Amino acid sequence: MTQELRSRVNADGTLELSLATVAVPELKPNEVLIRVEAAPLNPSDLGLLFGGADMSTAKVSGPTDSPVLTASISAGAMRAMAGRVGASLPVGNEGAGTVVAAGSTEAAQGLVGRTVAVAGGAMYTQYRCMDASQCLQLPHGTPAAAGASSFVNPLTALGMVETMRAEGHSALVHTAAASNLGQMLNRLCIEDGVPLVNVVRKPEQEDILRAGGAEYVCNSSLPTFMDDLVQALIATSATLAFDATGGGKLAGQILTGMEAAATSTAAEYSRYGSTRHKQVYIYGGLDRGPTELSRNFGMAWGVGGWLLTPFLQKVGPEAFQGLRQRVAAELKTTFASTYTKEVSMAEALQLDAVSVYGRQATGEKYLINPNKGAAPPS
Amino acid sequence: MTQELRSRVNADGTLELSLATVAVPELKPNEVLIRVEAAPLNPSDLGLLFGGADMSTAKVSGPTDSPVLTASISAGAMRAMAGRVGASLPVGNEGAGTVVAAGSTEAAQGLVGRTVAVAGGAMYTQYRCMDASQCLQLPHGTPAAAGASSFVNPLTALGMVETMRAEGHSALVHTAAASNLGQMLNRLCIEDGVPLVNVVRKPEQEDILRAGGAEYVCNSSLPTFMDDLVQALIATSATLAFDATGGGKLAGQILTGMEAAATSTAAEYSRYGSTRHKQVYIYGGLDRGPTELSRNFGMAWGVGGWLLTPFLQKVGPEAFQGLRQRVAAELKTTFASTYTKEVSMAEALQLDAVSVYGRQATGEKYLINPNKGAAPPS
C-alpha cells in the first residue's frame, strides 16, 4: 500500500486536498518501484494542486497524520475546472527516491538500490511505479533531495537558452530572477557565455544574483528601473525575455526597453519602430492580473505563452536525452536547488505550510518527503 | 515643378503640415513621370502624416490654396519622433495616375498614356517620378481612383490569408471588419473558401458585411458578444486573428473565445489549457490605449505586431509578383475600394477634412487627388 496526496474539485465549488491509501500496482517487467523521498512544490504544481481555489478560505480538518484541506473556488475559476470536477487527481510533477523493487528486465534490475529522479506526475506518493527508461539514474551517493528537481527547473533553464538559439537571439532577459530557477539560469548563462539581464524586485534578490556572478541585475522597484533596464539591454542586445510574472506591466516594460535600446543606436527614423523582432514569453503567472501592454515598441514584437512540454516535444527525444544527461552531470553545480523546508505530505496540507509555499515567494521553496518519519525500506 | 504635401515635426513639439513646391527630377532611362490623380488616406499614412500630434489642437493658417496646419505633440510622443525632428517629409504610401513622360527604355516608353498604380511613398504630390518596374499597369480604361488602393489594402488582405496558410491555421478572425480592408478580406475569403469571423461594433456594419455575403459577423457592442464569438469560433475553428484596434480588451477576448471553443470540444482536462496555438496579430492601432490580456486562455497563445512590408520581404519577389498580378486582375471585384470624398492636397489640410479622415472611422475614407482642379496634361 502507498499513501498519496490527492486534489479534487467538487461540483459545489470546493477544493478538497487529502491523503489516499491505494494499492501499489504490480510491476511490469521493465518497471521499478521507487520509494519517493523528495518531491519539490514547484509553481507548476500549484495549479493542479489548488484547482483555482481561493486559498485564503482554506480550512483543515481531520487528524494530523491524515488532514483534509478544503477551500472555495469562485464561479469564474470553476469554469476553467469543468474538465476535472469530481476526479481525485494525484499531484507532483517530479521527484526522486530509491529503487526498492524491480521487474525482470536487466534495465529494471540494474536500478535496484540506486537513487533515481523521475518526472512522471503523481510524485506526492510514498511509492511510485515507473518504467525504467523514464528514470534518470543519479551518480552514486546522490541524496534524493539533491535530485528532486532534476527536470522542471533544469530543463526549463536549458529550454530558455535553447529557444534563444533556435529563434535567432543572442542574449536573454529573465524576471523573478532570484528564484531557484533564476539562479540556475544565471549559472547556466555564465557557463555558456550567454549575456543575461536579471530582473528582480528586492535589494536582497539583487545581492543573491550578484553573489552568483550576475553582471546585469535590474530592480523593478527602483525609480531608475527603466533607465537601468535600457542600459543593460543596450549592453547585452537582448531581444528575448522569459517572464514568470505574467500579469501587470513588466512584459510591456521589457519590450519598451528593448525598443529604446534598438532605436538608441539606429541610424535613421523608422515610422514603424525598429525592425528587429522583440519577444517576451510568459511562462508563469506569479501575478494573475491582466497583462498590460502599452504598445510604444514598434510593430516587430510578440508576447506569448511558453511551456516546457511542447518545447521538449519540439526538440525531439535525442536532444531531450542530451539535455537530461547534462542535468545529471551538473546536478550539484549548475542545476543545484535549495529548499527552505522539508515537509511530509500531511504537513504540506497544514495551513502554515500552505501559506508559505502557496505564495511562491522567491527564497521560500518547500520539498515534500512522502516518507518523512516512515521506517527506511527493509 | 510639382506641389507636394509635407509633414515636419519641429524641435519645439509642434507638427507642421504644408504644401511645398519642388522641381521634378530629371527622368532616368527606365523611369516614368506619373501625374498622380488618386492617393488614399490610409490609416497607415496617418502615423507619418500626424507625427504623433494631438490633432484636437490643430490650427490652420495661410491662404486656402496653400494652407499650413500646426498641432502640438506631447512630450511622450516627441520621444518616439526623435529620429525625424526638423525633416520635411513627403507622405502618401500609394496612389495611381497617368504616365505623362518616360525615359528612353522600351519598358518606360511602353507605359506612356497608361494608368499605373505605385506604392512608392511620397504619393501626395502632383508629379511622381518612378522606375517603370515599380509600376503596376492597370487594365485599359481603369480610372486612377479605381487603382489608387492597389497595394496596401489588397496586399494586406492577401497577406492575412497567406500568413494563415503559412502558420498552419485554416480560418480567420478580423476586427474593424466593415472597413474597406475588411470588406475586401470578406470577398477574398469567400472566393478562396476561407471561413472568416468578422468582428464589428455597430449594427450598420453588420449589415454591410452580411450584404457582402459574410456568414459570421459578431458585434462587440452586444451583450451576447462573447457567446456569439465562441459559437462562430466553434463553427470555423479559427485560431488566428488580425486585429486593427490594438488597444483595449478585444485581442484578449478573441483568445479567450478561441480557448473556450477549443476546450468545449476537448475530451479531457488539461491543466495548461488547450494545446492548439492561438494567435492574434495586431496590425493597426485604432485604439491607442494599452492592450489588456486577461490570461484565461491557457499557455498556447501569442500576440504580436504584423506589418505588410516584412511579410512581403519574407515571401520573396516571385510570390509578391503573383500577389500583385492577382490584385490587378481583380481590382474591380475582390479588391475594389470605395471612398467618401475626393479632396485636393490643400483641402486635406483643412480642419473639417482632418476631423473626418483623422478618426479612421469605418465608412469614412478620403481620397486625395493632387491634381484636383488642375488642367489635364496637355
Side-chain angles (χ1 to χ4, degrees), chain A residues 44 48 80-81 83-84 89 93 245-247 269 271-272 282-285 287-295 299 301-307, chain B residues 44 48 80-81 83-84 89 93 245-247 269 271-272 282-285 287-295 299 301-307:
Chain A
S44 51
L48 186 62
M81 296 298 131
R84 58 170 287 191
L89 301 174
N93 284 321
T245 59
Y269 172 70
R271 79 183 87 166
Y272 294 124
I282 294 176
Y283 75 95
D287 179 342
R288 303 179 76 80
T291 311
E292 197 179 306
L293 307 171
S294 294
R295 302 181 320 287
M299 290 298 278
W301 63 277
V303 173
W306 190 91
L307 267 187
Chain B
S44 52
L48 185 64
M81 297 298 129
R84 57 170 287 189
L89 300 174
N93 285 320
T245 60
Y269 172 70
R271 80 183 84 167
Y272 293 123
I282 293 175
Y283 75 95
D287 179 342
R288 302 180 79 80
T291 311
E292 196 179 307
L293 307 170
S294 295
R295 302 180 320 287
M299 291 298 279
W301 62 275
V303 173
W306 191 92
L307 267 186

Side-chain angles (χ1 to χ4, degrees), chain A residues 99-124:
Chain A
V99 174
V100 293
S104 55
T105 69
E106 207 173 315
Q109 284 291 327
L111 291 174
V112 173
R114 294 298 298 262
T115 309
V116 296
V118 288
M123 294 304 294
Y124 301 156

Side-chain angles (χ1 to χ4, degrees), chain A residues 8-372:
Chain A
R8 188 171 68 198
V9 167
N10 296 314
D12 65 357
T14 54
L15 166 75
E16 188 178 310
L17 303 181
S18 62
L19 302 183
T21 302
V22 295
V24 173
E26 206 168 316
L27 293 178
K28 294 184 187 133
N30 202 46
E31 286 183 341
V32 299
L33 188 66
I34 304 163
R35 183 179 188 269
V36 181
E37 288 143 0
L41 273 152
N42 283 321
S44 51
D45 293 309
L46 298 185
L48 186 62
L49 184 66
F50 292 160
D54 175 359
M55 295 307 285
S56 72
T57 67
K59 293 193 176 63
V60 178
S61 59
T64 314
D65 63 347
S66 188
V68 176
L69 181 150
T70 54
S72 332
I73 306 172
S74 73
M78 274 301 282
R79 272 195 287 277
M81 296 298 131
R84 58 170 287 191
V85 168
S88 176
L89 301 174
V91 192
N93 284 321
E94 66 180 337
T98 310
V99 174
V100 293
S104 55
T105 69
E106 207 173 315
Q109 284 291 327
L111 291 174
V112 173
R114 294 298 298 262
T115 309
V116 296
V118 288
M123 294 304 294
Y124 301 156
T125 185
Q126 290 181 299
Y127 291 91
R128 181 78 167 89
C129 178
M130 288 292 290
D131 194 274
S133 67
Q134 299 297 305
C135 296
L136 183 66
Q137 189 174 328
L138 301 178
H140 273 290
T142 308
S149 296
S150 293
F151 292 89
V152 178
N153 279 349
L155 291 173
T156 299
L158 286 164
M160 290 172 178
V161 173
E162 293 296 322
T163 299
M164 177 200 81
R165 291 181 180 130
E167 300 187 1
H169 305 271
S170 59
L172 284 174
V173 180
H174 187 225
T175 71
S179 64
N180 258 327
L181 170 59
Q183 294 182 52
M184 213 174 262
L185 182 66
N186 185 46
R187 291 190 294 268
L188 177 60
C189 285
I190 290 171
E191 194 172 309
D192 284 14
V194 173
L196 172 68
V197 179
N198 297 278
V199 177
V200 298
R201 289 187 307 172
K202 295 179 182 172
E204 58 268 32
Q205 296 166 344
E206 291 185 63
D207 297 342
I208 290 172
L209 285 159
R210 289 194 213 281
E215 188 167 357
Y216 305 101
V217 187
C218 301
N219 183 339
S220 62
S221 301
L222 296 181
T224 57
F225 173 61
M226 279 309 297
D227 289 340
D228 299 343
L229 181 62
V230 171
Q231 289 311 312
L233 291 168
I234 290 173
T236 58
S237 300
T239 45
L240 175 63
F242 284 88
D243 175 33
T245 59
K249 298 186 176 188
L250 189 53
Q253 286 175 317
I254 292 169
L255 291 172
T256 300
M258 288 175 175
E259 179 70 4
T263 51
S264 75
T265 52
E268 59 176 279
Y269 172 70
S270 163
R271 79 183 87 166
Y272 294 124
S274 77
T275 55
R276 185 85 170 80
H277 185 76
K278 301 162 289 294
Q279 179 73 36
V280 176
Y281 284 120
I282 294 176
Y283 75 95
L286 297 176
D287 179 342
R288 303 179 76 80
T291 311
E292 197 179 306
L293 307 171
S294 294
R295 302 181 320 287
N296 54 1
F297 33 70
M299 290 298 278
W301 63 277
V303 173
W306 190 91
L307 267 187
L308 179 57
T309 310
F311 162 76
L312 293 174
Q313 283 164 350
K314 202 187 292 176
V315 300
E318 206 167 315
F320 177 38
Q321 188 56 23
L323 298 176
R324 260 171 56 139
Q325 291 309 327
R326 178 166 181 188
V327 173
E330 301 177 30
L331 201 51
K332 290 182 178 170
T333 54
T334 315
F335 301 112
S337 296
T338 54
Y339 306 94
T340 329
K341 199 169 181 183
E342 181 187 283
V343 292
S344 67
M345 291 190 289
E347 287 165 346
L349 299 191
Q350 298 299 334
L351 293 184
D352 56 345
V354 169
S355 72
V356 177
Y357 68 74
R359 273 192 296 137
Q360 306 178 49
T362 291
E364 302 253 42
K365 200 177 184 75
Y366 273 37
L367 190 66
I368 291 183
N369 177 352
N371 283 289
K372 188 183 173 194

Side-chain angles (χ1 to χ4, degrees), chain B:
Chain B
M1 304 297 280
T2 178
Q3 199 177 40
E4 66 184 34
L5 198 156
R6 294 293 185 85
S7 170
R8 188 171 67 198
V9 167
N10 296 315
D12 65 358
T14 54
L15 166 75
E16 188 177 309
L17 303 181
S18 62
L19 302 183
T21 302
V22 293
V24 173
E26 205 169 316
L27 292 179
K28 293 185 187 131
N30 202 45
E31 285 183 341
V32 298
L33 188 66
I34 304 164
R35 182 179 190 269
V36 181
E37 288 142 1
L41 274 153
N42 284 321
S44 52
D45 293 308
L46 298 186
L48 185 64
L49 184 66
F50 292 160
D54 175 357
M55 294 307 285
S56 71
T57 66
K59 292 192 176 64
V60 179
S61 60
T64 314
D65 63 347
S66 188
V68 176
L69 181 150
T70 55
S72 333
I73 307 173
S74 73
M78 275 302 283
R79 272 195 286 279
M81 297 298 129
R84 57 170 287 189
V85 168
S88 176
L89 300 174
V91 193
N93 285 320
E94 65 180 338
T98 309
V99 174
V100 293
S104 56
T105 70
E106 207 175 316
Q109 284 293 327
L111 290 174
V112 173
R114 294 297 300 258
T115 310
V116 296
V118 289
M123 293 304 295
Y124 301 156
T125 185
Q126 290 181 300
Y127 291 91
R128 181 77 169 88
C129 179
M130 288 293 289
D131 195 273
S133 67
Q134 299 296 306
C135 297
L136 182 66
Q137 189 174 328
L138 300 178
H140 272 292
T142 309
S149 295
S150 292
F151 293 89
V152 179
N153 280 348
L155 291 172
T156 299
L158 286 165
M160 290 173 179
V161 172
E162 293 297 321
T163 299
M164 178 198 82
R165 291 181 180 128
E167 299 187 2
H169 304 269
S170 58
L172 284 173
V173 179
H174 187 227
T175 72
S179 65
N180 259 329
L181 170 59
Q183 294 182 50
M184 213 174 262
L185 181 65
N186 184 46
R187 290 189 294 267
L188 177 60
C189 285
I190 290 171
E191 193 171 310
D192 283 14
V194 173
L196 172 68
V197 179
N198 297 278
V199 177
V200 298
R201 290 187 307 171
K202 296 180 182 171
E204 57 268 31
Q205 296 165 344
E206 291 186 63
D207 296 343
I208 291 171
L209 285 159
R210 289 195 212 281
E215 189 168 358
Y216 305 101
V217 187
C218 301
N219 182 338
S220 62
S221 301
L222 296 180
T224 57
F225 173 60
M226 280 309 297
D227 289 340
D228 299 343
L229 181 63
V230 171
Q231 288 312 311
L233 292 167
I234 290 174
T236 57
S237 299
T239 46
L240 176 63
F242 284 88
D243 176 31
T245 60
K249 299 186 176 190
L250 190 53
Q253 286 176 316
I254 291 169
L255 291 172
T256 300
M258 288 174 175
E259 179 70 3
T263 52
S264 74
T265 51
E268 60 177 278
Y269 172 70
S270 163
R271 80 183 84 167
Y272 293 123
S274 76
T275 54
R276 186 82 172 82
H277 184 76
K278 299 162 289 294
Q279 179 73 36
V280 176
Y281 285 119
I282 293 175
Y283 75 95
L286 297 178
D287 179 342
R288 302 180 79 80
T291 311
E292 196 179 307
L293 307 170
S294 295
R295 302 180 320 287
N296 55 0
F297 33 70
M299 291 298 279
W301 62 275
V303 173
W306 191 92
L307 267 186
L308 179 57
T309 310
F311 162 77
L312 292 174
Q313 283 162 350
K314 201 187 294 176
V315 301
E318 205 166 317
F320 176 39
Q321 188 56 25
L323 297 176
R324 259 171 58 138
Q325 290 311 325
R326 180 167 179 188
V327 173
E330 302 177 29
L331 201 51
K332 290 184 176 170
T333 54
T334 315
F335 302 111
S337 295
T338 54
Y339 306 93
T340 328
K341 199 168 178 182
E342 183 187 283
V343 292
S344 67
M345 291 190 288
E347 287 165 345
L349 297 190
Q350 298 299 335
L351 292 185
D352 56 346
V354 169
S355 71
V356 176
Y357 69 74
R359 275 193 295 138
Q360 305 178 48
T362 291
E364 304 254 40
K365 200 177 186 75
Y366 273 37
L367 189 67
I368 291 183
N369 178 351
N371 283 290
K372 189 184 173 194
S378 52

